[in-house]
Structure formats: C-alpha cells, structure tokens
Amino acid sequence: MAVLVVAEITDGALSMDATAKAVTAARPLGDVTVLCIGSLARAAAGEAATISGVARVLCAENALYGHRLAEPVAALIVSLAGEYAHIVAPATTDAKNILPRVAALLDVMVLTDVTAVVDADTFVRPVYAGNAMQTVRSKDEKKVITFRTSTFEAAGTGDPVTIDDVAAADAPGLSEWLEDRVAESDRPELTSAKIVVSGGRGVGSEENFAIIEALADKLGAAVGASRAAVDSGFAPNDWQVGQTGKVVAPDLYVACGISGAIQHLAGMKDSKIIVAINKDEEAPIFQVADYGLVADLFQAVPELTEKL
Amino acid sequence: MKVLVPVKRVIDYNVKVRVKADGSGVDLANVKMSMNPFDEISVEQAIRLKEAGQVDEVVVVSIGVKQSQETLRTALAMGADRAILVVAADDVHNDIEPLAVAKILKAIVDEEQPGLVLCGKQAIDNDMNATGQMLAALMGWSQATFASDLEIVGDKAKVTREVDGGLQTIEVSMPTVVTVDLRLNEPRYASLPNIMKAKKKPLDEKTPADYGVDVANRLEIVKTAEPEARKAGIMVESVDELVSKLKEAGAV
C-alpha cells in the first residue's frame, strides 16, 4: 500500500527539513506520495518532487487552503484517503491541528509524535513528557500519524518526480483567517538548527536575553527558551522548548539559567551534547548535562561568547 | 450560552514517573494525581466568560475512573456549575483513548447543546493533543486549537493561536471547539468556602453504555519502556575548560 505524506508548507514555501524527515520516516511503510496543500503550493510541490524516495507529488493549490485552516484541509485529505494505508505528516503545529481531525473523520485513532517505526502497524511514541516510551500496535485499517522530526534524518534530494494536480474538496466554510503575527528571525529555525542556545528564568529580563542571543549568533545557533522565560515575557512563545513547545535534538544544546524541569527536559534531552550553565549546583539540568558549569551566567555567557 | 469543559485526572505534573519493571506501563498506584494543567486553564476561561456575562452555565465533564470525581469537584470549586462523570474504567492504568473520549463527548454535546466546548490542548500523560480536534470533526464543527486569546463576538469566536512561527488569529463560527494553550490565562485557586460549596453542586454519574460508546482501545500497548538514559556528564571549573572540552568533542 501507499503512504500519503502531507508536506509542511507555510506561505507557499515548503519546509524542506520537516517534510524530508517525514519522508524518511514514511519510506519503510510503502510508496511515498507527497501532498502539497496551500493557496500557493506549486513551487513547494516542485521542491517536494526532488526529495529522494518520493514516488509522486500531488498539488492542491486553491484559495480555500490559504493558511491551511483545519476544516477545509482535513476535508481534502479525507477525500484522497481511499488509496492510502498510512496518512502521515511531520509533527508541526499545523499537522497537530489537522491530522486528529482527519483521523476522527475516518473513524480511526491518531498516533502523534511517533519516534520510531517498528512495522506497518507498530510504532513507538513518547508519553509522560518523554519519561516513558510506548510501543503501540494499531488495530485500525488506516493509520494517521505525526512523526517527531527530531528523531529522523532528512531524506536527500535527487531527480524530480511527476507532479499531479488534485481538485479541491467541498469546504465546510466554518472558519476564516484574519491575521498572522510572525516572529521575525534571521537565525536558523529552532527545530532544524544544529546548535541551540536557550535561556531560562535566570536570564532575568528581555534586555538580558541579548547575551543569550549574542552567544547564539557567535555559534550560528537558534535561540530557545524555557516556559518560565516565555511566561515572564523575556522571549516570544515560539522559542519555547519543552513538552508543550518545540522538541529539538541538535548536536549542541546550551542551557543558560534553566533549572531543568521535567517539562523542559522533554523538549531537549535527545540533544547530542548538552551544556548547562547555572549558578545553582543542585539544579536538575546538571543531571542530563554532558558539561556543566556552576557559574553566574552574566559573567560566564559573555566570556564564553568571547572565547569561542 | 452554555459551555462544556472536559477535564482529565492525570498524574501530577511535578511527579517523576516510574516505568514498571515488567514493561506493562507506568506505575500509577499511590501516585499523586491532579487536574491536567491545560484543563485548569480551560475551566478558568469558562468561568471568566461567565463572569463577563457571556455564558450562563459552565458544565464540566470527566471520563475515566470513579476517582475522577475529585477532579470534577476541583472544577466545581473553581466556579463551574455542574458536573458529569462518565465512569469508563475501573483501573487507573486504563487510559481511554482520545477517539473514544471524543465520541462520549459528542453524545454529551448532543444532549447538552453547549455553544462552546473548551478543552486543554493536550493531556500531560498520553501527550496526544487530539481530543478537541476529534470532537470538532465528529460534530462537524469548527475548531480553534492552541488558543492564547479568545474573544466571543455574536455567533463567532475570534481566537489567537500559538503556531510554530508566532501567532495566528482566526475567526470561527459558533458552536465551536477551542483547545487552550498555556498562555491563555492564569487559573485561580479554589478557596476553602468554595471547596465546601462545591460538595453540594450537582454531579451526575454515567457510563459509556449510557451514550452507546465502545471504549475498547484501537491502539494496543505492546510495551512501555524507560527512555535511554544519558551517560553521566562532567562538571567543568571554568569557561576556558568548557571551551576546550567542546573543541575536543568537535561541538564547536
């Protein structure tokens, strides 16, 4: 049977990293068809067609799918579901919004944040903020899955495959997009960055976050934050790393002024190397850190920036 | 307008979970349980809407073991008017899946006819993030997930959502299902007099059979394992030492 991968597309641009990782996860399940949905989807479809391992690309370009509202997009995916045994996507906020709706419309369960494929019916997913790994076997005929991208390598690129257009499905007209407030950033995207520098409550203020950003820029890193830092207004919410924010697994994660609550660890403990800088030597973050430094971050972080 | 708020009894968010040695699951015997943190936020939001005069009645519902009534009493003490408990499991280790929960909630919504269902965005035990979306699908209603701001204007709700790149504002037709994110509000504590009063508020007890819903799991849990442990790290004495260690490891 075939697998339908719902590509991650924002404002007409394909998120190559997230989509290519979902393709890697999907390949053992069957022939991969990538579905590109948006008010602008043509260019994204062209790019998706170059991902290695993709057999076919479907392009659903229609004004109905601007900003990918859950109701029309879910209706479209359900209209195409017939020939696919697996309908999958990278576990982004977009997919988390849409795929459970698709699953319920098909009367099947959804498997979210899957980290490993055992066989066509059996999958591993973290539960309890990543403190337990559950292997589950689905008894449903169709499997609707979101894959945690941080645990899969991105597929490479090759010669483009065919792109076919698909017609829009009947849309229920229940919702309307009003506005986006996009956080401006020239830095690498948090979930795909090789290095992440994060600040927590210990940073103390929005102004002080500049020292975290300076270190990040020196390393070419993305900037992350703990919930405490976001709640205190030091950093925007889309920087949040953790159980309810983004899950990252970079080569290097530098945690500054972060105590290491269970909920934060859930979002970064699969990083290859973890560095913790904290003045409290009892902070739980030191239990997962490969290199720990007990120090005042206001001295240590600028010094580190200078010496790198 | 009536608001329905589903709440879940889960392991307290501060508890470090223990995986059972035989791989059969997480040990929930004698562990502190509480209301799912996201559900506290949805209860709070429902009460705020009532205080603002936009809502007449707040009905809370929980599905699971009998002890979930403690969670419902907590919601009643915060200010909800009435509760429905659907006893669907006799062992705390049996987690009813989001699809079954959504089907039970659909039956309750059909009966109660709320104008709005306010759910948490995810439960911190199964980390599914699916029930609200599934309920909206089954009802054929609009949905607004990961809400950090909610404004009801006439028969529409204007919702700001926390999405990957920042914030997105959408307008959905009512009735609707809204799932709440952390930053929607700061939930209140129940005062002692309100906890006492909550004991007298109505709490109906039901079963899935009352709603004709089969709660059998679609996902069979094959095993539950500890995540791989990280090997012990080292403490460095200075920034210089940290820099040299990182260079040795090829990390910078």
Side-chain angles (χ1 to χ4, degrees), chain A residues 8 11 16-17 37 52 86 90 101 104 106 109 111-112 131 141 146 175 180 199 212 247 251 262 289 295 302:
Chain A
E8 176 71 10
D11 291 335
M16 192 61 170
D17 185 70
I37 311 170
S52 302
H86 296 81
R101 190 174 177 104
L106 296 170
M109 255 301 285
L111 291 124
T112 58
N131 287 298
E141 199 177 314
T146 64
S175 54
D180 276 342
I212 304 294
V247 178
D251 295 339
I262 295 168

Side-chain angles (χ1 to χ4, degrees), chain A residues 130-188:
Chain A
N131 287 298
M133 303 303 290
Q134 212 166 57
T135 306
V136 291
R137 187 180 298 127
S138 168
K139 296 181 234 172
D140 284 321
E141 199 177 314
K142 281 188 198 297
K143 280 81 177 167
V144 177
I145 303 167
T146 64
F147 286 112
R148 176 170 288 191
T149 51
S150 63
T151 55
F152 297 95
E153 294 292 328
T157 53
D159 291 333
V161 295
T162 329
I163 301 170
D164 295 316
D165 284 323
V166 289
D170 284 342
L174 293 165
S175 54
E176 217 178 308
W177 170 85
L178 297 180
E179 184 197 11
D180 276 342
R181 267 167 287 162
V182 179
E184 297 285 332
S185 176
D186 301 331
R187 298 195 181 91

Side-chain angles (χ1 to χ4, degrees), chain A residues 166-296:
Chain A
V166 289
D170 284 342
L174 293 165
S175 54
E176 217 178 308
W177 170 85
L178 297 180
E179 184 197 11
D180 276 342
R181 267 167 287 162
V182 179
E184 297 285 332
S185 176
D186 301 331
R187 298 195 181 91
E189 205 263 316
L190 189 53
T191 54
S192 57
K194 294 279 172 223
I195 304 178
V196 173
V197 181
S198 281
R201 195 196 304 273
V203 177
S205 71
E206 193 180 351
E207 292 71 43
N208 289 346
F209 236 81
I211 64 169
I212 304 294
E213 296 179 52
L215 174 57
D217 291 341
K218 185 69 173 271
L219 291 166
V223 181
S226 69
R227 179 185 170 189
V230 175
D231 281 353
S232 309
F234 306 167
N237 66 281
D238 61 308
W239 288 6
Q240 188 178 326
V241 171
Q243 183 183 16
T244 66
K246 293 192 170 103
V247 178
V248 300
D251 295 339
L252 175 63
Y253 188 91
V254 185
C256 310
I258 292 176
S259 66
I262 295 168
Q263 293 76 18
H264 185 74
L265 300 183
M268 46 63 81
K269 68 188 165 71
D270 292 327
S271 305
K272 287 205 184 75
I273 296 176
I274 298 173
V275 171
I277 301 171
N278 203 299
K279 63 182 177 191
D280 174 11
E281 59 186 281
E282 304 288 327
I285 191 79
F286 288 125
Q287 290 163 19
V288 300
D290 298 282
Y291 305 106
L293 174 63
V294 178
D296 181 349

Side-chain angles (χ1 to χ4, degrees), chain B residues 146-244:
Chain B
F146 327 142
S148 62
D149 192 57
L150 166 64
E151 197 186 328
I152 295 169
V153 189
D155 59 352
K156 306 239 178 200
K158 193 172 151 189
V159 181
T160 299
R161 308 176 53 230
E162 294 201 2
V163 296
D164 282 336
L167 297 170
Q168 178 188 67
T169 305
I170 58 171
E171 192 173 71
V172 292
S173 307
M174 308 269 281
T176 187
V177 178
V178 175
T179 79
V180 309
D181 216 319
L182 286 172
R183 273 164 284 276
L184 182 61
N185 63 46
E186 185 76 45
R188 70 192 65 188
Y189 289 102
S191 67
L192 188 57
N194 285 344
I195 293 171
M196 301 310 288
K197 274 187 229 157
K199 292 184 178 172
K200 298 208 176 73
K201 290 186 179 175
L203 190 154
D204 271 351
E205 206 177 296
K206 302 274 194 180
T207 68
D210 293 337
Y211 301 108
V213 175
D214 176 9
V215 294
N217 285 351
R218 302 288 187 91
L219 306 176
E220 176 199 343
I221 298 170
V222 180
K223 91 177 166 193
T224 307
E226 292 264 7
E228 237 171 274
R230 294 186 71 92
K231 65 174 178 32
I234 56 165
M235 300 300 283
V236 296
E237 294 300 321
S238 65
V239 170
D240 288 320
E241 195 186 344
L242 177 60
V243 171
S244 69

Side-chain angles (χ1 to χ4, degrees), chain B residues 124-143:
Chain B
I124 61 161
D125 52 359
N126 63 26
D127 280 332
M128 279 281 184
N129 191 336
T131 304
Q133 296 90 314
M134 289 187 137
L135 174 63
L138 297 177
M139 294 303 304
W141 286 4
S142 61
Q143 68 184 52

